[in-house]
mmCIF file with all atom_site columns, all heavy atoms in Angstrom:
data_model
loop_
_atom_site.group_PDB
_atom_site.id
_atom_site.type_symbol
_atom_site.label_atom_id
_atom_site.label_alt_id
_atom_site.label_comp_id
_atom_site.label_asym_id
_atom_site.label_entity_id
_atom_site.label_seq_id
_atom_site.pdbx_PDB_ins_code
_atom_site.Cartn_x
_atom_site.Cartn_y
_atom_site.Cartn_z
_atom_site.occupancy
_atom_site.B_iso_or_equiv
_atom_site.pdbx_formal_charge
_atom_site.auth_seq_id
_atom_site.auth_comp_id
_atom_site.auth_asym_id
_atom_site.auth_atom_id
_atom_site.pdbx_PDB_model_num
ATOM 1   N N   . VAL A 1 1   ? -99.068  41.528 22.490 1.00 0.00 ? 1   VAL A N   1
ATOM 2   C CA  . VAL A 1 1   ? -98.412  41.986 21.259 1.00 0.00 ? 1   VAL A CA  1
ATOM 3   C C   . VAL A 1 1   ? -97.303  41.031 20.799 1.00 0.00 ? 1   VAL A C   1
ATOM 4   O O   . VAL A 1 1   ? -96.542  41.350 19.900 1.00 0.00 ? 1   VAL A O   1
ATOM 5   C CB  . VAL A 1 1   ? -97.861  43.437 21.399 1.00 0.00 ? 1   VAL A CB  1
ATOM 6   C CG1 . VAL A 1 1   ? -98.987  44.435 21.600 1.00 0.00 ? 1   VAL A CG1 1
ATOM 7   C CG2 . VAL A 1 1   ? -96.846  43.533 22.539 1.00 0.00 ? 1   VAL A CG2 1
ATOM 8   N N   . ARG A 1 4   ? -91.449  38.190 23.048 1.00 0.00 ? 4   ARG A N   1
ATOM 9   C CA  . ARG A 1 4   ? -90.857  36.924 23.484 1.00 0.00 ? 4   ARG A CA  1
ATOM 10  C C   . ARG A 1 4   ? -89.890  37.136 24.632 1.00 0.00 ? 4   ARG A C   1
ATOM 11  O O   . ARG A 1 4   ? -89.902  36.414 25.605 1.00 0.00 ? 4   ARG A O   1
ATOM 12  C CB  . ARG A 1 4   ? -90.088  36.279 22.327 1.00 0.00 ? 4   ARG A CB  1
ATOM 13  C CG  . ARG A 1 4   ? -90.983  35.573 21.342 1.00 0.00 ? 4   ARG A CG  1
ATOM 14  C CD  . ARG A 1 4   ? -90.243  35.298 20.068 1.00 0.00 ? 4   ARG A CD  1
ATOM 15  N NE  . ARG A 1 4   ? -89.028  34.543 20.338 1.00 0.00 ? 4   ARG A NE  1
ATOM 16  C CZ  . ARG A 1 4   ? -88.767  33.354 19.808 1.00 0.00 ? 4   ARG A CZ  1
ATOM 17  N NH1 . ARG A 1 4   ? -89.625  32.819 18.975 1.00 0.00 ? 4   ARG A NH1 1
ATOM 18  N NH2 . ARG A 1 4   ? -87.659  32.737 20.069 1.00 0.00 ? 4   ARG A NH2 1
ATOM 19  N N   . GLY A 1 19  ? -65.119  50.251 23.221 1.00 0.00 ? 19  GLY A N   1
ATOM 20  C CA  . GLY A 1 19  ? -66.263  49.670 23.918 1.00 0.00 ? 19  GLY A CA  1
ATOM 21  C C   . GLY A 1 19  ? -65.916  48.281 24.451 1.00 0.00 ? 19  GLY A C   1
ATOM 22  O O   . GLY A 1 19  ? -66.283  47.914 25.566 1.00 0.00 ? 19  GLY A O   1
ATOM 23  N N   . ARG A 1 21  ? -63.036  47.212 25.312 1.00 0.00 ? 21  ARG A N   1
ATOM 24  C CA  . ARG A 1 21  ? -62.121  47.286 26.459 1.00 0.00 ? 21  ARG A CA  1
ATOM 25  C C   . ARG A 1 21  ? -62.896  47.371 27.761 1.00 0.00 ? 21  ARG A C   1
ATOM 26  O O   . ARG A 1 21  ? -62.512  46.812 28.768 1.00 0.00 ? 21  ARG A O   1
ATOM 27  C CB  . ARG A 1 21  ? -61.149  48.463 26.302 1.00 0.00 ? 21  ARG A CB  1
ATOM 28  C CG  . ARG A 1 21  ? -59.952  48.092 25.430 1.00 0.00 ? 21  ARG A CG  1
ATOM 29  C CD  . ARG A 1 21  ? -58.799  49.047 25.575 1.00 0.00 ? 21  ARG A CD  1
ATOM 30  N NE  . ARG A 1 21  ? -59.080  50.344 24.964 1.00 0.00 ? 21  ARG A NE  1
ATOM 31  C CZ  . ARG A 1 21  ? -58.964  50.577 23.657 1.00 0.00 ? 21  ARG A CZ  1
ATOM 32  N NH1 . ARG A 1 21  ? -58.568  49.629 22.839 1.00 0.00 ? 21  ARG A NH1 1
ATOM 33  N NH2 . ARG A 1 21  ? -59.239  51.767 23.172 1.00 0.00 ? 21  ARG A NH2 1
ATOM 34  N N   . TYR A 1 23  ? -66.569  46.593 28.129 1.00 0.00 ? 23  TYR A N   1
ATOM 35  C CA  . TYR A 1 23  ? -67.598  45.559 28.341 1.00 0.00 ? 23  TYR A CA  1
ATOM 36  C C   . TYR A 1 23  ? -67.022  44.140 28.341 1.00 0.00 ? 23  TYR A C   1
ATOM 37  O O   . TYR A 1 23  ? -67.490  43.287 29.085 1.00 0.00 ? 23  TYR A O   1
ATOM 38  C CB  . TYR A 1 23  ? -68.707  45.704 27.295 1.00 0.00 ? 23  TYR A CB  1
ATOM 39  C CG  . TYR A 1 23  ? -69.561  46.902 27.590 1.00 0.00 ? 23  TYR A CG  1
ATOM 40  C CD1 . TYR A 1 23  ? -69.319  48.127 26.971 1.00 0.00 ? 23  TYR A CD1 1
ATOM 41  C CD2 . TYR A 1 23  ? -70.579  46.837 28.539 1.00 0.00 ? 23  TYR A CD2 1
ATOM 42  C CE1 . TYR A 1 23  ? -70.082  49.244 27.271 1.00 0.00 ? 23  TYR A CE1 1
ATOM 43  C CE2 . TYR A 1 23  ? -71.340  47.948 28.842 1.00 0.00 ? 23  TYR A CE2 1
ATOM 44  C CZ  . TYR A 1 23  ? -71.086  49.135 28.210 1.00 0.00 ? 23  TYR A CZ  1
ATOM 45  O OH  . TYR A 1 23  ? -71.839  50.242 28.521 1.00 0.00 ? 23  TYR A OH  1
ATOM 46  N N   . ALA A 1 49  ? -74.824  38.918 28.126 1.00 0.00 ? 49  ALA A N   1
ATOM 47  C CA  . ALA A 1 49  ? -74.911  39.350 29.523 1.00 0.00 ? 49  ALA A CA  1
ATOM 48  C C   . ALA A 1 49  ? -76.049  38.557 30.151 1.00 0.00 ? 49  ALA A C   1
ATOM 49  O O   . ALA A 1 49  ? -77.195  39.002 30.178 1.00 0.00 ? 49  ALA A O   1
ATOM 50  C CB  . ALA A 1 49  ? -75.175  40.847 29.606 1.00 0.00 ? 49  ALA A CB  1
ATOM 51  N N   . ARG A 1 53  ? -78.249  40.727 26.113 1.00 0.00 ? 53  ARG A N   1
ATOM 52  C CA  . ARG A 1 53  ? -76.990  41.088 25.472 1.00 0.00 ? 53  ARG A CA  1
ATOM 53  C C   . ARG A 1 53  ? -76.798  42.593 25.453 1.00 0.00 ? 53  ARG A C   1
ATOM 54  O O   . ARG A 1 53  ? -77.757  43.360 25.546 1.00 0.00 ? 53  ARG A O   1
ATOM 55  C CB  . ARG A 1 53  ? -76.978  40.572 24.032 1.00 0.00 ? 53  ARG A CB  1
ATOM 56  C CG  . ARG A 1 53  ? -76.811  39.068 23.984 1.00 0.00 ? 53  ARG A CG  1
ATOM 57  C CD  . ARG A 1 53  ? -76.921  38.525 22.599 1.00 0.00 ? 53  ARG A CD  1
ATOM 58  N NE  . ARG A 1 53  ? -78.268  38.730 22.098 1.00 0.00 ? 53  ARG A NE  1
ATOM 59  C CZ  . ARG A 1 53  ? -78.663  38.483 20.868 1.00 0.00 ? 53  ARG A CZ  1
ATOM 60  N NH1 . ARG A 1 53  ? -77.816  38.048 19.975 1.00 0.00 ? 53  ARG A NH1 1
ATOM 61  N NH2 . ARG A 1 53  ? -79.903  38.682 20.509 1.00 0.00 ? 53  ARG A NH2 1
ATOM 62  N N   . PRO A 1 59  ? -70.718  53.824 14.322 1.00 0.00 ? 59  PRO A N   1
ATOM 63  C CA  . PRO A 1 59  ? -71.160  54.302 13.002 1.00 0.00 ? 59  PRO A CA  1
ATOM 64  C C   . PRO A 1 59  ? -70.117  54.025 11.927 1.00 0.00 ? 59  PRO A C   1
ATOM 65  O O   . PRO A 1 59  ? -68.920  54.140 12.180 1.00 0.00 ? 59  PRO A O   1
ATOM 66  C CB  . PRO A 1 59  ? -71.330  55.813 13.212 1.00 0.00 ? 59  PRO A CB  1
ATOM 67  C CG  . PRO A 1 59  ? -70.598  56.155 14.464 1.00 0.00 ? 59  PRO A CG  1
ATOM 68  C CD  . PRO A 1 59  ? -70.503  54.912 15.283 1.00 0.00 ? 59  PRO A CD  1
ATOM 69  N N   . LEU A 1 60  ? -70.599  53.654 10.725 1.00 0.00 ? 60  LEU A N   1
ATOM 70  C CA  . LEU A 1 60  ? -69.677  53.403 9.615  1.00 0.00 ? 60  LEU A CA  1
ATOM 71  C C   . LEU A 1 60  ? -69.424  54.658 8.797  1.00 0.00 ? 60  LEU A C   1
ATOM 72  O O   . LEU A 1 60  ? -68.504  54.706 8.003  1.00 0.00 ? 60  LEU A O   1
ATOM 73  C CB  . LEU A 1 60  ? -70.250  52.313 8.699  1.00 0.00 ? 60  LEU A CB  1
ATOM 74  C CG  . LEU A 1 60  ? -70.190  50.885 9.228  1.00 0.00 ? 60  LEU A CG  1
ATOM 75  C CD1 . LEU A 1 60  ? -70.912  49.928 8.293  1.00 0.00 ? 60  LEU A CD1 1
ATOM 76  C CD2 . LEU A 1 60  ? -68.742  50.436 9.419  1.00 0.00 ? 60  LEU A CD2 1
ATOM 77  N N   . ASP A 1 62  ? -70.514  59.266 8.569  1.00 0.00 ? 62  ASP A N   1
ATOM 78  C CA  . ASP A 1 62  ? -71.185  60.410 9.201  1.00 0.00 ? 62  ASP A CA  1
ATOM 79  C C   . ASP A 1 62  ? -72.674  60.429 8.905  1.00 0.00 ? 62  ASP A C   1
ATOM 80  O O   . ASP A 1 62  ? -73.455  61.105 9.568  1.00 0.00 ? 62  ASP A O   1
ATOM 81  C CB  . ASP A 1 62  ? -70.555  61.728 8.708  1.00 0.00 ? 62  ASP A CB  1
ATOM 82  C CG  . ASP A 1 62  ? -69.145  61.892 9.257  1.00 0.00 ? 62  ASP A CG  1
ATOM 83  O OD1 . ASP A 1 62  ? -68.773  61.123 10.169 1.00 0.00 ? 62  ASP A OD1 1
ATOM 84  O OD2 . ASP A 1 62  ? -68.417  62.766 8.745  1.00 0.00 ? 62  ASP A OD2 1
ATOM 85  N N   . SER A 1 64  ? -74.562  57.870 9.136  1.00 0.00 ? 64  SER A N   1
ATOM 86  C CA  . SER A 1 64  ? -75.222  56.866 9.967  1.00 0.00 ? 64  SER A CA  1
ATOM 87  C C   . SER A 1 64  ? -76.066  57.544 11.045 1.00 0.00 ? 64  SER A C   1
ATOM 88  O O   . SER A 1 64  ? -75.674  58.553 11.632 1.00 0.00 ? 64  SER A O   1
ATOM 89  C CB  . SER A 1 64  ? -74.131  56.003 10.611 1.00 0.00 ? 64  SER A CB  1
ATOM 90  O OG  . SER A 1 64  ? -74.643  55.324 11.717 1.00 0.00 ? 64  SER A OG  1
ATOM 91  N N   . ILE A 1 77  ? -76.424  55.079 25.873 1.00 0.00 ? 77  ILE A N   1
ATOM 92  C CA  . ILE A 1 77  ? -77.517  54.152 25.548 1.00 0.00 ? 77  ILE A CA  1
ATOM 93  C C   . ILE A 1 77  ? -78.336  54.716 24.386 1.00 0.00 ? 77  ILE A C   1
ATOM 94  O O   . ILE A 1 77  ? -78.809  55.856 24.443 1.00 0.00 ? 77  ILE A O   1
ATOM 95  C CB  . ILE A 1 77  ? -78.419  53.893 26.771 1.00 0.00 ? 77  ILE A CB  1
ATOM 96  C CG1 . ILE A 1 77  ? -77.608  53.152 27.851 1.00 0.00 ? 77  ILE A CG1 1
ATOM 97  C CG2 . ILE A 1 77  ? -79.634  53.039 26.375 1.00 0.00 ? 77  ILE A CG2 1
ATOM 98  C CD1 . ILE A 1 77  ? -78.384  52.832 29.116 1.00 0.00 ? 77  ILE A CD1 1
ATOM 99  N N   . HIS A 1 79  ? -80.686  52.487 22.310 1.00 0.00 ? 79  HIS A N   1
ATOM 100 C CA  . HIS A 1 79  ? -82.020  51.876 22.237 1.00 0.00 ? 79  HIS A CA  1
ATOM 101 C C   . HIS A 1 79  ? -82.098  50.638 23.114 1.00 0.00 ? 79  HIS A C   1
ATOM 102 O O   . HIS A 1 79  ? -81.074  50.096 23.538 1.00 0.00 ? 79  HIS A O   1
ATOM 103 C CB  . HIS A 1 79  ? -82.380  51.520 20.784 1.00 0.00 ? 79  HIS A CB  1
ATOM 104 C CG  . HIS A 1 79  ? -81.525  50.447 20.159 1.00 0.00 ? 79  HIS A CG  1
ATOM 105 N ND1 . HIS A 1 79  ? -80.461  50.726 19.323 1.00 0.00 ? 79  HIS A ND1 1
ATOM 106 C CD2 . HIS A 1 79  ? -81.575  49.095 20.225 1.00 0.00 ? 79  HIS A CD2 1
ATOM 107 C CE1 . HIS A 1 79  ? -79.909  49.597 18.906 1.00 0.00 ? 79  HIS A CE1 1
ATOM 108 N NE2 . HIS A 1 79  ? -80.566  48.585 19.449 1.00 0.00 ? 79  HIS A NE2 1
ATOM 109 N N   . LEU A 1 82  ? -86.563  44.615 22.003 1.00 0.00 ? 82  LEU A N   1
ATOM 110 C CA  . LEU A 1 82  ? -87.444  43.545 22.465 1.00 0.00 ? 82  LEU A CA  1
ATOM 111 C C   . LEU A 1 82  ? -87.650  42.574 21.311 1.00 0.00 ? 82  LEU A C   1
ATOM 112 O O   . LEU A 1 82  ? -87.894  43.004 20.171 1.00 0.00 ? 82  LEU A O   1
ATOM 113 C CB  . LEU A 1 82  ? -88.791  44.132 22.889 1.00 0.00 ? 82  LEU A CB  1
ATOM 114 C CG  . LEU A 1 82  ? -88.720  45.237 23.952 1.00 0.00 ? 82  LEU A CG  1
ATOM 115 C CD1 . LEU A 1 82  ? -90.075  45.906 24.124 1.00 0.00 ? 82  LEU A CD1 1
ATOM 116 C CD2 . LEU A 1 82  ? -88.247  44.659 25.284 1.00 0.00 ? 82  LEU A CD2 1
ATOM 117 N N   . ASP A 1 86  ? -93.707  37.829 15.762 1.00 0.00 ? 86  ASP A N   1
ATOM 118 C CA  . ASP A 1 86  ? -94.115  38.194 14.395 1.00 0.00 ? 86  ASP A CA  1
ATOM 119 C C   . ASP A 1 86  ? -94.113  39.718 14.309 1.00 0.00 ? 86  ASP A C   1
ATOM 120 O O   . ASP A 1 86  ? -95.031  40.386 14.782 1.00 0.00 ? 86  ASP A O   1
ATOM 121 C CB  . ASP A 1 86  ? -95.524  37.636 14.150 1.00 0.00 ? 86  ASP A CB  1
ATOM 122 C CG  . ASP A 1 86  ? -96.047  37.971 12.758 1.00 0.00 ? 86  ASP A CG  1
ATOM 123 O OD1 . ASP A 1 86  ? -95.601  38.971 12.164 1.00 0.00 ? 86  ASP A OD1 1
ATOM 124 O OD2 . ASP A 1 86  ? -96.922  37.244 12.268 1.00 0.00 ? 86  ASP A OD2 1
ATOM 125 N N   . ILE A 1 87  ? -93.056  40.266 13.731 1.00 0.00 ? 87  ILE A N   1
ATOM 126 C CA  . ILE A 1 87  ? -92.845  41.723 13.789 1.00 0.00 ? 87  ILE A CA  1
ATOM 127 C C   . ILE A 1 87  ? -93.954  42.495 13.066 1.00 0.00 ? 87  ILE A C   1
ATOM 128 O O   . ILE A 1 87  ? -94.388  43.551 13.532 1.00 0.00 ? 87  ILE A O   1
ATOM 129 C CB  . ILE A 1 87  ? -91.428  42.085 13.273 1.00 0.00 ? 87  ILE A CB  1
ATOM 130 C CG1 . ILE A 1 87  ? -91.054  43.512 13.691 1.00 0.00 ? 87  ILE A CG1 1
ATOM 131 C CG2 . ILE A 1 87  ? -91.298  41.917 11.779 1.00 0.00 ? 87  ILE A CG2 1
ATOM 132 C CD1 . ILE A 1 87  ? -89.579  43.810 13.543 1.00 0.00 ? 87  ILE A CD1 1
ATOM 133 N N   . VAL A 1 95  ? -99.367  50.112 16.257 1.00 0.00 ? 95  VAL A N   1
ATOM 134 C CA  . VAL A 1 95  ? -99.803  51.288 15.494 1.00 0.00 ? 95  VAL A CA  1
ATOM 135 C C   . VAL A 1 95  ? -101.295 51.542 15.746 1.00 0.00 ? 95  VAL A C   1
ATOM 136 O O   . VAL A 1 95  ? -101.730 52.675 15.928 1.00 0.00 ? 95  VAL A O   1
ATOM 137 C CB  . VAL A 1 95  ? -99.472  51.122 13.988 1.00 0.00 ? 95  VAL A CB  1
ATOM 138 C CG1 . VAL A 1 95  ? -100.177 52.170 13.141 1.00 0.00 ? 95  VAL A CG1 1
ATOM 139 C CG2 . VAL A 1 95  ? -97.956  51.201 13.777 1.00 0.00 ? 95  VAL A CG2 1
ATOM 140 N N   . ASP A 1 97  ? -102.688 50.973 18.421 1.00 0.00 ? 97  ASP A N   1
ATOM 141 C CA  . ASP A 1 97  ? -102.720 51.527 19.775 1.00 0.00 ? 97  ASP A CA  1
ATOM 142 C C   . ASP A 1 97  ? -102.179 52.953 19.828 1.00 0.00 ? 97  ASP A C   1
ATOM 143 O O   . ASP A 1 97  ? -102.045 53.533 20.904 1.00 0.00 ? 97  ASP A O   1
ATOM 144 C CB  . ASP A 1 97  ? -101.883 50.653 20.725 1.00 0.00 ? 97  ASP A CB  1
ATOM 145 C CG  . ASP A 1 97  ? -102.701 49.514 21.293 1.00 0.00 ? 97  ASP A CG  1
ATOM 146 O OD1 . ASP A 1 97  ? -103.931 49.543 21.145 1.00 0.00 ? 97  ASP A OD1 1
ATOM 147 O OD2 . ASP A 1 97  ? -102.094 48.596 21.877 1.00 0.00 ? 97  ASP A OD2 1
ATOM 148 N N   . GLY A 1 104 ? -89.065  53.912 8.741  1.00 0.00 ? 104 GLY A N   1
ATOM 149 C CA  . GLY A 1 104 ? -89.591  53.234 7.554  1.00 0.00 ? 104 GLY A CA  1
ATOM 150 C C   . GLY A 1 104 ? -89.864  51.747 7.661  1.00 0.00 ? 104 GLY A C   1
ATOM 151 O O   . GLY A 1 104 ? -89.844  51.056 6.652  1.00 0.00 ? 104 GLY A O   1
ATOM 152 N N   . GLY A 1 109 ? -81.456  43.696 10.434 1.00 0.00 ? 109 GLY A N   1
ATOM 153 C CA  . GLY A 1 109 ? -80.711  44.140 11.610 1.00 0.00 ? 109 GLY A CA  1
ATOM 154 C C   . GLY A 1 109 ? -79.588  43.166 11.909 1.00 0.00 ? 109 GLY A C   1
ATOM 155 O O   . GLY A 1 109 ? -79.212  42.353 11.058 1.00 0.00 ? 109 GLY A O   1
ATOM 156 N N   . LEU A 1 118 ? -89.707  52.095 17.176 1.00 0.00 ? 118 LEU A N   1
ATOM 157 C CA  . LEU A 1 118 ? -90.876  52.892 17.534 1.00 0.00 ? 118 LEU A CA  1
ATOM 158 C C   . LEU A 1 118 ? -90.420  54.323 17.802 1.00 0.00 ? 118 LEU A C   1
ATOM 159 O O   . LEU A 1 118 ? -89.371  54.539 18.432 1.00 0.00 ? 118 LEU A O   1
ATOM 160 C CB  . LEU A 1 118 ? -91.549  52.319 18.791 1.00 0.00 ? 118 LEU A CB  1
ATOM 161 C CG  . LEU A 1 118 ? -92.066  50.885 18.657 1.00 0.00 ? 118 LEU A CG  1
ATOM 162 C CD1 . LEU A 1 118 ? -92.647  50.404 19.991 1.00 0.00 ? 118 LEU A CD1 1
ATOM 163 C CD2 . LEU A 1 118 ? -93.125  50.786 17.550 1.00 0.00 ? 118 LEU A CD2 1
ATOM 164 N N   . ILE A 1 128 ? -87.239  52.336 21.044 1.00 0.00 ? 128 ILE A N   1
ATOM 165 C CA  . ILE A 1 128 ? -87.476  50.897 21.238 1.00 0.00 ? 128 ILE A CA  1
ATOM 166 C C   . ILE A 1 128 ? -87.381  50.187 19.890 1.00 0.00 ? 128 ILE A C   1
ATOM 167 O O   . ILE A 1 128 ? -88.059  50.564 18.933 1.00 0.00 ? 128 ILE A O   1
ATOM 168 C CB  . ILE A 1 128 ? -88.861  50.635 21.872 1.00 0.00 ? 128 ILE A CB  1
ATOM 169 C CG1 . ILE A 1 128 ? -88.925  51.267 23.274 1.00 0.00 ? 128 ILE A CG1 1
ATOM 170 C CG2 . ILE A 1 128 ? -89.144  49.120 21.953 1.00 0.00 ? 128 ILE A CG2 1
ATOM 171 C CD1 . ILE A 1 128 ? -90.261  51.080 23.980 1.00 0.00 ? 128 ILE A CD1 1
ATOM 172 N N   . ALA A 1 135 ? -86.912  33.134 10.615 1.00 0.00 ? 135 ALA A N   1
ATOM 173 C CA  . ALA A 1 135 ? -87.706  31.934 10.897 1.00 0.00 ? 135 ALA A CA  1
ATOM 174 C C   . ALA A 1 135 ? -86.787  30.720 10.897 1.00 0.00 ? 135 ALA A C   1
ATOM 175 O O   . ALA A 1 135 ? -85.935  30.579 10.029 1.00 0.00 ? 135 ALA A O   1
ATOM 176 C CB  . ALA A 1 135 ? -88.781  31.770 9.836  1.00 0.00 ? 135 ALA A CB  1
#
Side-chain angles (χ1 to χ4, degrees):
V1 295
R4 281 164 56 121
R21 277 197 289 279
Y23 287 96
R53 287 175 294 173
L60 286 174
D62 290 348
S64 161
I77 294 180
H79 66 261
L82 304 170
D86 180 335
I87 196 165
V95 167
D97 273 348
L118 299 177
I128 297 179

